[in-house]
């Protein structure tokens, strides 16, 4: 991992192809372009994943983020959209089938990226290889970064065997090919760390997600210890909560991020502005730039208790 003697980190949420917003946020945070790479003299950016899909300039975002990471001006973790792209564009060595089926739904979700990369096969191959180099999480001095959910038990299972460093984990072929089989522990790890725990709703309850698909699962607030009912732990905008039954949860073994731990930053949850902290030591920096919201970053200077005024956005 490259460092530049930095004294602080700026953790930046989901970008989803919005290169103009990314340039504006980086400038607001004091980064300037030198030889095509945005840099800060004293700080590093940390990107929380989901660089691609939905927005108008996937190529532009990848170019900015990749130059910064390769040049030591930033660190980055993998989002579920990069994982999905790896699987969409990688064939299983035995079956020859794409690891992510080219179904109408999967292709539609990936359409903006596919259109921009049409006819650029070598850049596509190189980009997917670069996505493969992104770690699933970062355990740094004083803070943690992951795309969706910090589950200490699952993370220990990745780093505890001595063959990987203890502060990060990158996909190898064995892990990747197993992770697309929903019977494996690798699948569960990807689902949790990159997409967040989802629990089934009680029988008969169906929700519509932001793309109009029917869903019977809800994302849960793993950063919040309180909550005894489905409605209390559901991660949904307030206006959708009445649709969730206020019935007691059946499973009490869910992952909860302890309040005494160092701060953890994540994206993924399509928060709606106004920009705000979730808890003093766990906060989402995704405020839905790809759906009428803002691109958000947290300016971290070593504090153990997060401050709302350190959230910046464009
Ligand atoms: Mn995501």
């Amino acid at each position: 991992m490259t460092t530049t003697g930095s004294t602080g980190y700026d953790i930046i949420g989901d970008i989803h192809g919005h290169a103009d917003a990314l340039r504006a946020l980086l400038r607001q945070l004091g980064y300037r372009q030198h030889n095509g790479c945005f840099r800060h003299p004293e700080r590093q950016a940390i990107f929380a994943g989901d660089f691609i899909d939905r927005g108008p300039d996937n190529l532009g975002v990848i170019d900015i983020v990749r130059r910064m990471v390769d040049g030591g001006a930033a660190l980055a973790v993998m989002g579920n959209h990069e994982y999905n792209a790896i699987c969409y564009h990688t064939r299983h060595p035995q079956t020859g089938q794409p690891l992510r089926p080219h179904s109408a739904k999967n292709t539609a979700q990936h359409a903006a990226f596919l259109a921009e990369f049409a006819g650029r096969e070598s850049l596509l191959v190189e980009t997917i290889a670069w996505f493969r180099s992104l770690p699933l999480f970062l355990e740094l001095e004083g803070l943690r970064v992951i795309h969706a959910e910090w589950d200490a038990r699952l993370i220990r299972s990745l780093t505890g065997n001595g063959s990987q460093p203890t502060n990060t984990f990158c996909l190898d072929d064995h892990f990747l090919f197993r992770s697309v089989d929903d019977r494996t522990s690798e699948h569960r790890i990807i689902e949790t760390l990159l997409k967040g725990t989802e629990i089934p709703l009680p029988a008969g309850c169906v929700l519509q997600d932001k793309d109009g698909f029917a869903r019977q699962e809800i994302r849960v607030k793993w950063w919040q210890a309180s909550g005894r009912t489905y409605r209390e732990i559901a991660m949904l905008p307030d206006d959708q909560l009445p649709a969730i039954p206020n019935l007691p949860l059946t499973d009490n073994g869910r992952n909860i991020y302890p309040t005494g731990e160092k701060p953890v930053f994540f994206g993924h949850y399509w928060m709606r502005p106004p920009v705000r902290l979730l808890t003093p030591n766990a906060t989402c920096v995704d405020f839905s730039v790809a759906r009428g919201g803002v691109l958000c970053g947290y300016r971290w200077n070593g504090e153990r208790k997060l401050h709302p005024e350190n959230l910046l956005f464009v």
Side-chain angles (χ1 to χ4, degrees):
M1 205 176 296
T2 322
T3 55
T4 53
S6 48
T7 57
Y9 291 115
D10 300 306
I11 304 96
I12 296 176
D14 305 28
I15 308 164
H16 285 303
H18 285 264
D20 287 345
L22 177 56
R23 287 186 203 96
L25 180 64
L26 287 168
R27 287 195 192 102
Q28 187 183 326
L29 289 164
Y31 291 71
R32 297 290 178 266
Q33 272 191 300
H34 300 284
N35 300 322
C37 177
F38 278 94
R39 289 185 181 280
H40 192 287
E42 292 161 350
R43 306 177 62 82
Q44 278 182 303
I46 305 181
F47 295 103
D50 277 6
F51 312 127
I52 61 163
D53 295 332
R54 300 184 185 274
D57 192 359
N58 288 260
L59 286 166
V61 171
I62 292 164
D63 186 61
I64 294 166
V65 172
R66 196 175 158 186
R67 283 172 190 268
M68 291 180 71
V69 172
D70 293 350
L75 305 170
V77 296
M78 185 186 292
N80 56 307
H81 283 259
E82 287 76 51
Y83 172 82
N84 286 346
I86 291 166
C87 293
Y88 192 96
H89 297 286
T90 303
R91 289 177 185 274
H92 195 284
Q94 266 100 51
T95 65
Q97 294 299 310
L99 297 181
R100 182 169 168 84
H102 293 187
S103 65
K105 183 183 173 183
N106 291 345
T107 300
Q109 194 189 56
H110 198 37
F113 180 99
L114 291 171
E116 288 184 49
F117 276 86
R120 299 172 190 249
E121 188 59 30
S122 64
L123 182 61
L124 175 64
V125 170
E126 205 187 305
T127 300
I128 297 299
W130 183 70
F131 289 168
R132 284 279 307 262
S133 76
L134 297 168
L136 299 188
F137 66 89
L138 288 169
E139 168 99 62
L140 301 169
E141 200 179 324
L143 79 164
R144 294 167 168 152
V145 182
I146 196 159
H147 183 61
E149 178 170 346
W150 192 276
D151 183 318
R153 205 171 51 82
L154 293 180
I155 286 170
R156 263 198 311 278
S157 78
L158 290 174
T159 60
N161 62 11
S163 67
Q164 289 270 348
T166 56
N167 61 347
T168 190
F169 180 87
C170 290
L171 296 176
D172 56 24
D173 283 351
H174 176 80
F175 189 102
L176 177 65
F177 297 138
R178 283 180 59 88
S179 72
V180 295
D181 177 346
D182 64 12
R183 299 162 299 184
T184 65
S185 58
E186 288 84 353
H187 181 80
R188 171 146 182 251
I189 288 169
I190 291 290
E191 290 291 307
T192 305
L193 271 47
L194 267 50
K195 304 175 189 180
T197 297
E198 297 189 1
I199 59 168
L201 286 167
C205 184
V206 180
L207 273 179
Q208 287 227 320
D209 76 6
K210 62 184 182 302
D211 296 318
F213 291 103
R215 299 177 63 99
Q216 276 169 307
E217 294 87 37
I218 46 168
R219 292 175 169 179
V220 303
K221 298 173 181 171
W222 54 269
W223 50 87
Q224 172 191 297
S226 64
R228 297 274 177 275
T229 71
Y230 287 88
R231 191 182 297 169
E232 285 166 355
I233 67 156
M235 179 52 190
L236 282 170
D238 289 347
D239 58 353
Q240 290 178 30
L241 285 177
I244 307 299
N246 214 10
L247 294 168
L249 293 162
T250 48
D251 175 16
N252 292 318
R254 68 188 183 94
N255 173 47
I256 293 167
Y257 195 74
T259 52
E261 292 284 310
K262 61 186 175 183
V264 60
F265 295 91
F266 51 95
H268 187 65
Y269 286 89
W270 294 98
M271 302 266 292
R272 288 182 186 170
V275 163
R276 64 202 180 276
L277 296 177
L278 288 172
T279 82
N281 76 329
T283 207
C284 179
V285 284
D286 172 23
F287 284 88
S288 304
V289 67
R291 212 169 8 134
V294 296
L295 182 63
C296 177
Y298 184 93
R299 168 147 281 207
W300 186 77
N301 292 308
E303 64 273 22
R304 193 142 178 122
K305 186 171 180 287
L306 305 179
H307 303 300
E309 63 272 22
N310 292 349
L311 283 167
L312 300 172
F313 60 90
V314 292

